[in-house]
Amino acid sequence: MDVRRYLSRIRYHGDTRPNLENLRAVHLAHILAVPFENLSIHCGEEIVLDVQLLYHKIVVKRRGGLCYELNGLFAWLLRQLGFDCKTVSAQSYRPVTGEYGPEMGHILNVVRIDEEDWVADVGNQCLFRTPMRLAEDQEHTDVTGTYRIQREGDMWFLQRLSHQTKLTSDCRKATPGGTDRDVKLETKQWVLKFKFTLQERELQEFSNICKWTEKRHHVYSVRTLCVLPLADGLMTYMGRNLITTRYEDTRVSMATTGLESDDDILNVLWDTFGIKLDKHLVVKD
């Protein structure tokens, strides 16, 4: 396992001293280079939470992974660079049901720098891009939105400022097989994303919930997914669609293009995400 090769994988060639500026830079580089994806589940590949196997998959094979894989390997990188890093578990909030997902359903890293803790998460699909200070009521804003952390006793809660939206009247056909819609942002409210404690965990402790995710997760076990953030948006492959999202101040534009054949999907995975699969991908319509 080679730190320099890992840094090359995320296209990071800057300073690596363990300070806040460099943590932010490495974190952002990782998010922009390594996709969140569940393709192993739909290729019949076993996911094993071993850092050497994760290194081979993400760095050598240039794949992405689930949150357990991405944040698990990222913790190894941070420690190799000299950061004081510990891994913790989180529970995602499901607004449709008003309930939390399973315990340890998400994994985070908490990095201590100059007596302050920072939440690092390179496996969150489309949330904050740089680490958040672990402090109550301090707003953190980037291209994806505005966030804050609340606390009740030993429990911490990550919230995102949500905008109630409606489509503007200029919805229009963009390309054959695709649609383009502009979204106007209206009212605002804080929406819970996940909760977590600072109890330290070992990566192997997430093995059972990772297996559960492979077999029973309401999205990941059912539909193929690959998400790669852009500097100003997001590329999302899901099922038989490629979705391009752009953030534009208080507007979000989205374009969806249908992928008719399996070859179209494989071409998108390579051209857009840099992923070449070794095994057959089973796509469920």
Side-chain angles (χ1 to χ4, degrees):
M1 297 172 65
D2 184 350
V3 170
R4 289 175 297 179
R5 188 172 183 180
Y6 195 154
L7 294 174
S8 178
R9 164 71 176 96
I10 64 174
R11 301 189 293 272
Y12 183 78
H13 307 288
D15 188 7
T16 59
R17 288 174 294 176
N19 58 43
L20 180 57
E21 180 181 1
N22 294 339
L23 174 65
R24 285 172 169 156
V26 172
H27 191 281
L28 179 59
H30 201 291
I31 281 182
L32 295 178
V34 183
F36 177 98
E37 50 108 331
N38 69 346
L39 304 179
S40 290
I41 296 174
H42 302 278
C43 287
E45 298 174 345
E46 183 180 11
I47 298 176
V48 180
L49 299 184
D50 174 88
V51 291
Q52 290 188 336
L53 296 177
L54 297 181
Y55 177 91
H56 181 77
K57 177 181 179 180
I58 294 170
V59 177
V60 178
K61 302 294 290 185
R62 305 186 70 82
R63 289 279 304 279
L66 300 174
C67 64
Y68 314 110
E69 300 173 274
L70 300 181
N71 279 323
L73 188 60
F74 188 57
W76 175 85
L77 175 63
L78 292 179
R79 292 172 185 133
Q80 293 298 307
L81 295 177
F83 287 97
D84 180 2
C85 172
K86 71 176 180 180
T87 297
V88 304
S89 65
Q91 285 181 270
S92 298
Y93 182 72
R94 297 175 177 173
V96 174
T97 63
E99 299 176 345
Y100 287 97
E103 188 175 354
M104 301 182 70
H106 189 48
I107 181 175
L108 305 168
N109 291 306
V110 177
V111 183
R112 171 149 289 202
I113 299 176
D114 297 331
E115 304 303 317
E116 286 190 319
D117 288 329
W118 296 81
V119 179
D121 185 1
V122 298
N124 62 34
Q125 296 187 52
C126 56
L127 296 179
F128 54 93
R129 299 289 180 84
T130 57
M132 288 184 60
R133 178 184 280 113
L134 187 64
E136 291 186 83
D137 294 324
Q138 292 194 12
E139 293 189 4
H140 174 99
T141 299
D142 63 25
V143 67
T144 67
T146 299
Y147 306 85
R148 72 180 183 184
I149 295 175
Q150 302 285 82
R151 182 181 184 181
E152 294 181 12
D154 294 332
M155 190 68 69
W156 298 83
F157 300 84
L158 177 76
Q159 298 175 332
R160 180 179 183 175
L161 189 60
S162 176
H163 302 266
Q164 299 295 320
T165 64
K166 65 178 181 181
L167 297 180
T168 57
S169 60
D170 60 347
C171 296
R172 57 194 180 276
K173 193 78 171 179
T175 58
T179 58
D180 189 326
R181 62 182 187 273
D182 290 330
V183 179
K184 183 178 180 180
L185 306 180
E186 299 287 340
T187 60
K188 303 176 182 179
Q189 65 177 349
W190 289 103
V191 175
L192 183 60
K193 304 306 293 184
F194 56 72
K195 66 178 182 180
F196 61 98
T197 71
L198 299 183
Q199 179 184 347
E200 188 166 10
R201 302 282 191 177
E202 297 295 329
L203 181 59
Q204 288 71 28
E205 292 183 62
F206 294 88
S207 294
N208 288 339
I209 189 63
C210 184
K211 294 300 181 188
W212 179 90
T213 300
E214 293 180 67
K215 303 289 186 183
R216 300 180 58 191
H217 192 278
H218 64 293
V219 175
Y220 304 150
S221 66
V222 176
R223 181 170 294 183
T224 48
L225 176 69
C226 188
V227 182
L228 182 65
L230 307 172
D232 62 347
L234 204 66
M235 296 300 297
T236 303
Y237 156 69
M238 179 179 286
R240 294 195 177 274
N241 290 297
L242 179 66
I243 305 166
T244 303
T245 303
R246 300 287 182 180
Y247 306 125
E248 305 164 357
D249 296 325
T250 59
R251 298 166 65 88
V252 178
S253 66
M254 300 177 67
T256 302
T257 301
L259 305 173
E260 297 182 359
S261 70
D262 289 354
D263 284 343
D264 288 339
I265 293 171
L266 295 179
N267 289 336
V268 161
L269 290 176
W270 174 248
D271 294 339
T272 304
F273 303 96
I275 289 178
K276 183 177 182 180
L277 299 174
D278 294 328
K279 296 185 177 182
H280 177 67
L281 181 69
V282 178
V283 180
K284 300 177 180 177
D285 295 324

